[in-house]
Amino acid sequence: MARVAIVTGGTRGIGEAISIALRDMGMKVAANYGGNAQKAKEFTDRTGIASYQWDVGDHQACLDGCAQVAADLGPVDVVVNNAGITRDGVLQKMSFDDWNDVMRINLGGCFNMAKATFGSMRERGWGRIVNIGSVNGQAGQYGQVNYAAAKSGIHGFTKALAQEGAKYGVTVNAIAPGYIDTDMVAAVPAPVLEKIVAKIPVGRLGHAEEIARGVAFLCSEDAGFVTGSTMSINGGQHMY
Ligand code: CAA
Protein backbone atom coordinates (compact mmCIF):
# COMPACT_ATOMS: atom_id res chain seq x y z
CA MET A 1 0.00 0.00 0.00
CA ALA A 2 1.31 3.41 -0.92
CA ARG A 3 2.05 5.63 2.08
CA VAL A 4 0.02 8.81 2.39
CA ALA A 5 2.00 12.01 3.00
CA ILE A 6 1.10 15.61 3.76
CA VAL A 7 3.63 18.33 3.03
CA THR A 8 2.72 21.72 4.51
CA GLY A 9 3.68 24.67 2.36
CA GLY A 10 4.05 21.92 -0.22
CA THR A 11 3.34 23.78 -3.45
CA ARG A 12 6.27 26.20 -3.59
CA GLY A 13 9.98 26.42 -2.81
CA ILE A 14 11.47 23.70 -0.61
CA GLY A 15 7.99 22.24 -0.03
CA GLU A 16 7.39 21.76 -3.73
CA ALA A 17 10.64 19.81 -4.08
CA ILE A 18 9.66 17.68 -1.07
CA SER A 19 6.18 16.93 -2.45
CA ILE A 20 7.72 15.80 -5.73
CA ALA A 21 10.41 13.70 -4.02
CA LEU A 22 7.83 11.86 -1.90
CA ARG A 23 5.57 11.35 -4.93
CA ASP A 24 8.57 9.91 -6.80
CA MET A 25 9.09 7.45 -3.89
CA GLY A 26 5.59 6.11 -4.62
CA MET A 27 3.68 7.97 -1.91
CA LYS A 28 0.24 9.51 -2.30
CA VAL A 29 0.98 13.15 -1.55
CA ALA A 30 -1.25 16.01 -0.41
CA ALA A 31 0.43 19.38 -0.71
CA ASN A 32 -0.99 21.92 1.72
CA TYR A 33 -0.77 25.64 0.97
CA GLY A 34 -1.66 28.73 2.95
CA GLY A 35 -2.84 31.39 0.55
CA ASN A 36 -1.39 31.44 -2.95
CA ALA A 37 -4.15 29.62 -4.84
CA GLN A 38 -2.74 30.59 -8.24
CA LYS A 39 0.67 28.98 -7.52
CA ALA A 40 -1.05 25.95 -5.99
CA LYS A 41 -3.14 25.43 -9.11
CA GLU A 42 -0.07 25.74 -11.34
CA PHE A 43 1.72 23.23 -9.10
CA THR A 44 -1.15 20.73 -9.24
CA ASP A 45 -1.53 21.13 -13.03
CA ARG A 46 2.21 20.60 -13.50
CA THR A 47 2.74 17.69 -11.08
CA GLY A 48 -0.63 16.00 -10.70
CA ILE A 49 -0.20 16.29 -6.90
CA ALA A 50 -3.40 17.38 -5.13
CA SER A 51 -3.22 20.65 -3.22
CA TYR A 52 -5.26 21.56 -0.14
CA GLN A 53 -5.69 25.02 1.35
CA TRP A 54 -5.60 25.63 5.09
CA ASP A 55 -3.70 27.78 7.57
CA VAL A 56 -1.32 25.59 9.58
CA GLY A 57 -1.43 28.16 12.36
CA ASP A 58 -5.15 27.48 12.81
CA HIS A 59 -5.63 24.45 15.04
CA GLN A 60 -9.13 23.51 13.89
CA ALA A 61 -8.21 24.06 10.24
CA CYS A 62 -5.39 21.50 10.63
CA LEU A 63 -7.74 18.95 12.21
CA ASP A 64 -10.27 19.47 9.42
CA GLY A 65 -7.66 19.56 6.62
CA CYS A 66 -5.95 16.36 7.75
CA ALA A 67 -9.33 14.62 8.12
CA GLN A 68 -10.16 15.63 4.55
CA VAL A 69 -6.84 14.26 3.24
CA ALA A 70 -7.42 10.99 5.13
CA ALA A 71 -10.92 10.73 3.62
CA ASP A 72 -9.55 11.37 0.11
CA LEU A 73 -6.26 9.43 0.15
CA GLY A 74 -6.30 7.20 3.25
CA PRO A 75 -4.84 7.43 6.77
CA VAL A 76 -1.89 9.81 6.97
CA ASP A 77 1.49 8.06 7.43
CA VAL A 78 3.92 10.92 6.80
CA VAL A 79 3.83 14.60 7.73
CA VAL A 80 6.44 17.11 6.64
CA ASN A 81 6.08 20.37 8.54
CA ASN A 82 7.63 22.71 6.04
CA ALA A 83 5.28 25.73 6.06
CA GLY A 84 7.00 28.82 7.35
CA ILE A 85 7.17 32.58 7.00
CA THR A 86 9.67 35.32 7.82
CA ARG A 87 8.92 38.73 9.34
CA ASP A 88 12.50 39.92 9.71
CA GLY A 89 13.50 43.05 11.61
CA VAL A 90 15.63 44.06 14.54
CA LEU A 91 13.89 43.77 17.89
CA GLN A 92 13.30 47.51 18.21
CA LYS A 93 11.34 47.48 14.95
CA MET A 94 9.60 44.12 15.35
CA SER A 95 5.91 44.34 16.20
CA PHE A 96 4.07 41.88 18.38
CA ASP A 97 2.24 40.70 15.24
CA ASP A 98 5.60 40.00 13.53
CA TRP A 99 6.55 37.87 16.53
CA ASN A 100 3.20 36.19 16.93
CA ASP A 101 2.59 35.35 13.26
CA VAL A 102 5.96 33.59 13.00
CA MET A 103 5.47 31.65 16.24
CA ARG A 104 1.89 30.73 15.37
CA ILE A 105 2.67 29.48 11.86
CA ASN A 106 6.24 28.15 12.04
CA LEU A 107 6.11 26.51 15.49
CA GLY A 108 2.38 26.31 16.21
CA GLY A 109 1.90 24.64 12.83
CA CYS A 110 4.05 21.70 13.94
CA PHE A 111 1.94 21.20 17.06
CA ASN A 112 -1.33 21.51 15.17
CA MET A 113 -0.29 19.03 12.47
CA ALA A 114 1.05 16.55 15.02
CA LYS A 115 -2.19 16.74 17.01
CA ALA A 116 -4.11 15.94 13.84
CA THR A 117 -2.04 12.91 12.79
CA PHE A 118 0.24 11.48 15.49
CA GLY A 119 -2.47 9.48 17.31
CA SER A 120 -3.44 7.60 14.18
CA MET A 121 0.21 6.88 13.28
CA ARG A 122 0.77 5.53 16.80
CA GLU A 123 -2.29 3.28 16.60
CA ARG A 124 -1.17 1.90 13.23
CA GLY A 125 2.41 1.37 14.43
CA TRP A 126 4.19 3.36 11.73
CA GLY A 127 4.74 7.01 11.01
CA ARG A 128 7.22 9.63 9.88
CA ILE A 129 7.22 13.26 10.93
CA VAL A 130 9.89 15.56 9.52
CA ASN A 131 10.04 19.14 10.73
CA ILE A 132 11.88 21.78 8.73
CA GLY A 133 13.99 23.84 11.11
CA SER A 134 16.78 26.20 10.07
CA VAL A 135 20.44 26.99 10.46
CA ASN A 136 19.13 30.21 11.99
CA GLY A 137 17.36 28.20 14.69
CA GLN A 138 20.70 26.56 15.51
CA ALA A 139 23.00 29.57 15.27
CA GLY A 140 20.69 32.62 15.60
CA GLN A 141 20.53 35.42 13.04
CA TYR A 142 20.61 39.19 13.35
CA GLY A 143 17.09 40.52 12.70
CA GLN A 144 15.30 37.23 13.33
CA VAL A 145 14.47 36.84 17.03
CA ASN A 146 11.02 35.57 16.02
CA TYR A 147 12.16 33.15 13.30
CA ALA A 148 15.20 31.89 15.23
CA ALA A 149 13.06 31.27 18.32
CA ALA A 150 10.41 29.41 16.33
CA LYS A 151 12.95 27.29 14.44
CA SER A 152 14.92 26.57 17.61
CA GLY A 153 11.61 25.54 19.17
CA ILE A 154 11.07 23.14 16.29
CA HIS A 155 14.32 21.39 17.15
CA GLY A 156 13.20 20.95 20.78
CA PHE A 157 9.71 19.86 19.71
CA THR A 158 11.30 17.23 17.45
CA LYS A 159 13.40 15.68 20.21
CA ALA A 160 10.49 15.60 22.66
CA LEU A 161 7.95 14.07 20.26
CA ALA A 162 10.57 11.57 19.02
CA GLN A 163 10.67 10.14 22.54
CA GLU A 164 6.89 9.77 22.55
CA GLY A 165 6.75 8.10 19.14
CA ALA A 166 9.74 5.76 19.33
CA LYS A 167 8.10 2.66 20.74
CA TYR A 168 5.18 2.95 18.34
CA GLY A 169 7.25 3.01 15.16
CA VAL A 170 6.75 6.73 14.66
CA THR A 171 9.99 8.59 13.98
CA VAL A 172 10.28 12.35 14.37
CA ASN A 173 13.26 14.15 12.88
CA ALA A 174 14.26 17.62 11.76
CA ILE A 175 16.18 19.03 8.86
CA ALA A 176 17.98 22.32 9.37
CA PRO A 177 18.41 23.91 5.95
CA GLY A 178 20.87 26.68 5.36
CA TYR A 179 20.26 29.41 2.78
CA ILE A 180 18.40 27.85 -0.17
CA ASP A 181 17.63 29.56 -3.48
CA THR A 182 13.92 30.15 -2.81
CA ASP A 183 11.66 33.23 -2.81
CA MET A 184 12.16 33.51 0.96
CA VAL A 185 15.92 33.93 0.65
CA ALA A 186 15.56 36.12 -2.45
CA ALA A 187 13.72 38.59 -0.19
CA VAL A 188 16.88 39.17 1.89
CA PRO A 189 18.47 42.48 0.80
CA ALA A 190 21.20 41.71 -1.78
CA PRO A 191 24.14 43.24 0.13
CA VAL A 192 23.16 41.32 3.27
CA LEU A 193 22.77 38.07 1.33
CA GLU A 194 26.15 38.51 -0.35
CA LYS A 195 27.81 38.70 3.07
CA ILE A 196 25.97 35.58 4.21
CA VAL A 197 26.91 33.58 1.10
CA ALA A 198 30.55 34.65 1.52
CA LYS A 199 30.53 32.74 4.83
CA ILE A 200 29.16 29.49 3.36
CA PRO A 201 32.16 27.16 2.83
CA VAL A 202 30.55 25.43 -0.17
CA GLY A 203 30.33 28.91 -1.72
CA ARG A 204 26.74 28.98 -2.96
CA LEU A 205 23.10 28.85 -1.96
CA GLY A 206 21.57 25.40 -1.66
CA HIS A 207 18.89 23.99 -3.92
CA ALA A 208 15.44 22.89 -2.76
CA GLU A 209 16.07 19.39 -4.15
CA GLU A 210 19.08 19.04 -1.83
CA ILE A 211 16.74 19.45 1.16
CA ALA A 212 14.10 17.18 -0.40
CA ARG A 213 16.57 14.31 -0.74
CA GLY A 214 17.24 14.46 3.01
CA VAL A 215 13.53 14.51 3.76
CA ALA A 216 12.95 11.55 1.43
CA PHE A 217 15.53 9.50 3.31
CA LEU A 218 14.03 10.35 6.72
CA CYS A 219 10.57 9.35 5.43
CA SER A 220 11.75 6.05 3.97
CA GLU A 221 11.32 2.55 5.38
CA ASP A 222 15.14 2.43 5.73
CA ALA A 223 15.22 5.25 8.27
CA GLY A 224 13.38 3.43 11.08
CA PHE A 225 16.33 3.67 13.49
CA VAL A 226 16.77 7.41 12.92
CA THR A 227 14.70 9.45 15.33
CA GLY A 228 15.11 12.68 17.29
CA SER A 229 17.91 13.74 14.95
CA THR A 230 18.59 16.97 13.13
CA MET A 231 20.17 16.73 9.70
CA SER A 232 21.99 19.96 8.83
CA ILE A 233 22.05 20.71 5.10
CA ASN A 234 23.72 24.09 4.91
CA GLY A 235 26.90 23.95 2.80
CA GLY A 236 29.00 23.94 5.96
CA GLN A 237 27.70 27.33 7.15
CA HIS A 238 27.22 26.02 10.68
CA MET A 239 28.84 22.80 11.89
CA TYR A 240 27.03 21.46 14.87
N1 CAA B 1 25.64 41.49 12.58
C1 CAA B 1 25.90 42.68 13.17
N2 CAA B 1 25.37 43.82 12.76
C2 CAA B 1 24.54 43.79 11.73
C3 CAA B 1 24.22 42.59 11.07
C4 CAA B 1 24.82 41.42 11.53
N3 CAA B 1 24.57 40.24 10.96
N4 CAA B 1 23.36 42.86 10.07
C5 CAA B 1 23.15 44.20 10.10
N5 CAA B 1 23.87 44.74 11.09
C6 CAA B 1 23.95 46.15 11.46
C7 CAA B 1 24.22 47.00 10.25
O1 CAA B 1 25.60 47.05 10.00
C8 CAA B 1 23.65 48.32 10.68
O2 CAA B 1 24.56 48.96 11.55
P1 CAA B 1 24.75 50.55 11.50
O3 CAA B 1 23.38 51.13 11.72
O4 CAA B 1 25.72 50.80 12.61
O5 CAA B 1 25.28 50.80 10.13
C9 CAA B 1 22.45 47.94 11.53
O6 CAA B 1 22.68 46.59 11.93
C10 CAA B 1 21.15 48.02 10.77
O7 CAA B 1 21.28 47.17 9.60
P2 CAA B 1 20.26 47.31 8.40
O8 CAA B 1 20.48 48.60 7.71
O9 CAA B 1 20.33 46.05 7.59
O10 CAA B 1 18.88 47.41 9.21
P3 CAA B 1 17.45 47.29 8.69
O11 CAA B 1 16.56 47.61 9.85
O12 CAA B 1 17.26 48.00 7.42
O13 CAA B 1 17.32 45.72 8.32
C11 CAA B 1 17.26 43.40 8.72
C12 CAA B 1 17.54 44.78 9.33
C13 CAA B 1 15.81 43.35 8.23
C14 CAA B 1 17.43 42.39 9.82
C15 CAA B 1 18.20 43.14 7.54
O14 CAA B 1 19.52 43.31 7.98
C16 CAA B 1 18.03 41.75 7.00
O15 CAA B 1 17.13 41.46 6.24
N6 CAA B 1 18.93 40.81 7.40
C17 CAA B 1 18.89 39.44 6.91
C18 CAA B 1 18.13 38.57 7.87
C19 CAA B 1 18.20 37.15 7.35
O16 CAA B 1 19.25 36.58 7.15
N7 CAA B 1 17.03 36.56 7.12
C20 CAA B 1 17.01 35.24 6.57
C21 CAA B 1 15.74 35.08 5.77
S1 CAA B 1 15.74 33.55 4.90
C22 CAA B 1 15.48 32.42 6.06
O17 CAA B 1 15.26 32.70 7.20
C23 CAA B 1 15.56 30.98 5.61
C24 CAA B 1 16.46 30.19 6.49
O18 CAA B 1 15.99 29.39 7.25
C25 CAA B 1 17.92 30.36 6.38
Side-chain angles (χ1 to χ4, degrees):
M1 276 280 282
R3 301 286 187 195
V4 173
I6 299 178
V7 181
T8 68
T11 62
R12 295 199 297 139
I14 292 174
E16 173 174 3
I18 294 169
S19 295
I20 292 169
L22 298 185
R23 190 270 318 269
D24 290 349
M25 283 170 75
M27 294 189 188
K28 290 193 267 182
V29 177
N32 151 271
Y33 67 98
N36 197 330
Q38 171 73 22
K39 288 271 186 205
K41 184 177 180 313
E42 285 166 24
F43 163 84
T44 295
D45 290 347
R46 189 170 64 252
T47 62
I49 298 171
S51 48
Y52 292 76
Q53 192 281 327
W54 73 82
D55 173 2
V56 297
D58 179 333
H59 188 73
Q60 189 61 45
C62 285
L63 300 180
D64 295 344
C66 291
Q68 185 62 54
V69 171
D72 293 348
L73 304 181
V76 177
D77 304 298
V78 175
V79 170
V80 182
N81 286 308
N82 165 77
I85 60 167
T86 50
R87 294 283 184 271
D88 292 355
V90 292
L91 182 74
Q92 300 95 296
K93 295 184 194 167
M94 187 178 288
S95 68
F96 177 72
D97 283 348
D98 292 337
W99 166 265
N100 204 38
D101 287 348
V102 170
M103 295 304 285
R104 188 178 70 81
I105 291 171
N106 296 18
L107 183 56
C110 293
F111 175 80
N112 295 335
M113 289 297 295
K115 285 292 282 185
T117 56
F118 182 75
S120 160
M121 291 178 191
R122 238 180 71 137
E123 278 165 23
R124 287 175 295 118
W126 197 94
R128 299 280 184 264
I129 297 178
V130 178
N131 301 314
I132 304 299
S134 169
V135 64
N136 293 348
Q138 296 170 311
Q141 170 61 37
Y142 192 100
Q144 282 200 312
V145 294
N146 50 3
Y147 187 88
K151 292 296 189 179
S152 186
I154 284 176
H155 295 302
F157 176 90
T158 298
K159 291 179 218 178
L161 191 59
Q163 294 179 32
E164 297 184 21
K167 69 179 173 205
Y168 301 100
V170 181
T171 68
V172 187
N173 291 287
I175 294 213
Y179 283 70
I180 308 302
D181 56 3
T182 60
D183 292 347
M184 182 183 274
V185 167
V188 175
V192 177
L193 190 56
E194 272 168 36
K195 284 188 196 151
I196 292 170
V197 174
K199 290 189 186 148
I200 301 174
V202 169
R204 62 169 174 84
L205 296 176
H207 305 308
E209 293 73 18
E210 292 175 307
I211 304 303
R213 284 194 279 275
V215 174
F217 168 67
L218 292 172
C219 293
S220 70
E221 306 291 329
D222 285 343
F225 201 57
V226 184
T227 197
S229 76
T230 298
M231 186 189 289
S232 295
I233 307 180
N234 62 28
Q237 184 184 351
H238 181 67
M239 299 185 189
Y240 199 65

